[in-house]
Amino acid sequence: MGLTVAARKPMHEAHRVAESGAVDADGHILEPPTLWEEYIDPAFRDRALRIRVDENGLEELEIDGRRSQMSRRGFPATLGAMGAPDLADMQKNPERTYLGESPYGAMDPSERIDVLDAENIDIAFLYTTVGLLWEAEVDDPELSQAYTKAYNRWICEFCADEPRLVPTAHLSLSDPVAAAKELERAVGEGAKGGYVAPFHHRGVPLGHPDNNPVFAAAQDLDVPLAIHPTFEPQWTKGTRMGTWEHVKQLRLLASVAASDGVRHQFTTLFDYGVFDAFPRLKILVLESGGGWIGYWLDRIDAVYSHTFIGERVPLRNKPSDYFRERIWISCDPDERTIPALAERFGVERFMWASDFPHADHTSEYVHDLNELVAMFPEADRRKFIGDNARALFQL
């Protein structure tokens, strides 16, 4: 089972998913604080990711031996704050810590099974949390690969004895050849797919041929490759992302801005003809909502079909044709446009995600999910609630 940490808190008040067969397409864990020190290759141990205490007694991340610029002043304590009403105090109070605020089920697989049972969920696909924070501040490809390898070793151990917990591999495009090898290694240890950040320190778009080794590996291994929001370097934001102050203060813009990078990078897969170059590649778009995909596909279909711009894009088919065949998207439980989009683009393309245990959702999400599922035709409910995820990951 590897490194685990028991929660200091009891389980939150849970509610039950009404439809049977539920699969959470994008749940998260909280990494034990010593994970990188224990699992990283020895040559990089002195540069391992750590949680430190600053001069004010507040926790912060240490990345490559340096103070994090993005995850400081008590921020680590908020990472498991699903439903917490007092985020401001959590981030300013030295007595509130990453471990102390970690919710039940975030660092221990048996606890997570308890949570799944309480919410009537069969399976959860698990993604990183701290791993979403460091890549924006590490531009050394060797260290980036060491960080991802350490995490992937751990998450595969974490899930090894619990078939209802499914590991996915964190990949860094800082070195696509090394990332492809890491995907192969992690899949060999039990990972069912991989995911990448929506940026590259050299400004290379996701669809660029430089990343072909990762696309080829995912295709050959027959596993999905996901795009997941992360912290992004300041230079990627500009007017698209707003100011970093918005993100730090958890204003409403931050909950939308983090998704924009995923949407833009997703589009570059069409710009570079990735789906024709890799005809069996499966792409999963995570934690960016699902409602935007209707406008996005209608717009890029129109540009492709009716303008000179479309003549310059190396695509054999309309973008929506690729979506209907080889792209999946996870939705928030509170999105009410999804049933209509599923009718238009195919219900098989859509899944739901809890985002447990992050602060922009609460445990009340189950009520929203039940209402959303009830909006689907009865014949489609089982697909959306779980069967689509099972099919994608071949469970």
Side-chain angles (χ1 to χ4, degrees):
M1 183 169 62
L3 177 65
T4 63
V5 179
R8 301 176 185 178
K9 292 182 171 184
M11 189 192 304
H12 60 270
E13 181 182 0
H15 310 285
R16 292 182 64 79
V17 177
E19 190 79 18
S20 62
V23 176
D24 184 353
D26 182 11
H28 290 262
I29 48 73
L30 295 185
E31 297 91 335
T34 61
L35 184 156
W36 281 272
E37 294 174 75
E38 296 189 35
Y39 282 79
I40 203 165
D41 288 336
F44 296 93
R45 190 151 292 142
D46 62 334
R47 303 170 68 187
L49 184 66
R50 297 174 172 88
I51 293 180
R52 297 295 198 193
V53 177
D54 70 11
E55 61 276 9
N56 297 309
L58 299 171
E59 290 180 330
E60 63 184 11
L61 293 187
E62 178 183 290
I63 303 171
D64 190 13
R66 300 186 298 268
R67 300 178 69 175
S68 169
Q69 296 304 302
M70 297 183 176
S71 303
R72 296 174 61 181
R73 301 183 183 91
F75 183 76
T78 70
L79 294 174
M82 191 172 193
D86 53 354
L87 280 174
D89 179 72
M90 193 179 297
Q91 197 163 350
K92 297 175 181 178
N93 186 343
E95 295 184 2
R96 306 188 73 172
T97 64
Y98 178 72
L99 280 178
E101 297 299 328
S102 175
Y104 189 91
M107 293 190 193
D108 181 279
S110 61
E111 291 179 0
R112 189 55 163 266
I113 294 298
D114 291 342
V115 174
L116 296 186
D117 287 343
E119 295 185 338
N120 193 31
I121 297 172
D122 285 357
I123 297 168
F125 289 91
L126 300 182
Y127 293 83
T128 183
T129 294
V130 176
L132 302 176
L133 311 181
W134 63 258
E135 199 164 0
E137 300 188 56
V138 177
D139 58 8
D140 179 340
E142 290 187 352
L143 184 60
S144 294
Q145 300 304 319
Y147 276 11
T148 57
K149 187 175 183 179
Y151 170 80
N152 294 337
R153 285 169 170 163
W154 173 77
I155 193 63
C156 288
E157 283 188 8
F158 184 91
C159 299
D161 297 326
E162 294 289 357
R164 294 169 63 187
L165 302 179
V166 183
T168 56
H170 184 184
L171 307 174
S172 173
L173 294 175
S174 57
D175 183 341
V177 173
K181 292 179 180 177
E182 173 58 16
L183 179 60
E184 182 177 4
R185 190 203 64 77
V187 168
E189 292 191 358
K192 295 296 185 181
Y195 53 97
V196 297
F199 74 91
H200 190 294
H201 281 286
R202 292 192 290 110
V204 176
L206 178 61
H208 193 278
D210 282 2
N211 297 322
N212 281 357
V214 176
F215 301 141
Q219 175 175 262
D220 293 345
L221 293 165
D222 196 21
V223 296
L225 180 67
I227 317 168
H228 197 292
T230 65
F231 275 10
E232 297 187 31
Q234 187 64 36
W235 62 262
T236 68
K237 300 179 179 68
T239 56
R240 174 174 67 81
M241 296 296 288
T243 67
W244 183 242
E245 287 302 315
H246 283 89
V247 180
K248 285 197 300 183
Q249 295 180 35
L250 296 176
R251 294 177 182 170
L252 292 177
L253 173 62
S255 65
V256 178
S259 304
D260 283 355
V262 171
R263 298 168 187 174
H264 285 273
Q265 294 300 336
F266 166 73
T267 307
T268 71
L269 298 174
F270 299 107
D271 291 335
Y272 286 90
V274 170
F275 293 105
D276 289 326
F278 300 95
R280 293 180 288 107
L281 177 65
K282 298 178 286 189
I283 292 292
L284 172 58
V285 184
L286 291 172
E287 208 168 307
S288 300
W292 63 274
I293 199 66
Y295 164 75
W296 215 266
L297 290 175
D298 284 345
R299 181 60 181 154
I300 59 178
D301 272 2
V303 170
Y304 170 77
S305 300
H306 306 311
T307 76
F308 75 96
I309 298 174
E311 298 172 1
R312 300 179 180 180
V313 179
L315 294 179
R316 295 177 190 150
N317 303 298
K318 293 189 302 182
S320 62
D321 292 336
Y322 298 100
F323 181 86
R324 289 183 172 96
E325 295 175 358
R326 288 189 283 133
I327 300 170
W328 288 256
I329 189 167
S330 75
C331 311
D332 292 320
D334 49 18
E335 295 188 74
R336 294 295 179 261
T337 62
I338 301 305
L341 293 173
E343 182 179 3
R344 174 167 169 74
F345 296 107
V347 66
E348 293 80 9
R349 308 272 67 84
F350 295 87
M351 301 177 289
W352 68 276
S354 72
D355 201 32
F356 175 94
H358 294 166
D360 56 342
H361 291 74
T362 76
S363 61
E364 301 297 309
Y365 83 88
V366 174
H367 300 312
D368 290 331
L369 179 62
N370 287 335
E371 292 179 13
L372 176 59
V373 172
M375 296 172 64
F376 281 86
E378 187 171 355
D380 291 340
R381 293 172 187 171
R382 176 85 186 201
K383 296 176 184 177
F384 177 74
I385 200 67
D387 285 354
N388 293 343
R390 288 185 176 86
L392 172 60
F393 289 93
Q394 303 182 65
L395 298 185

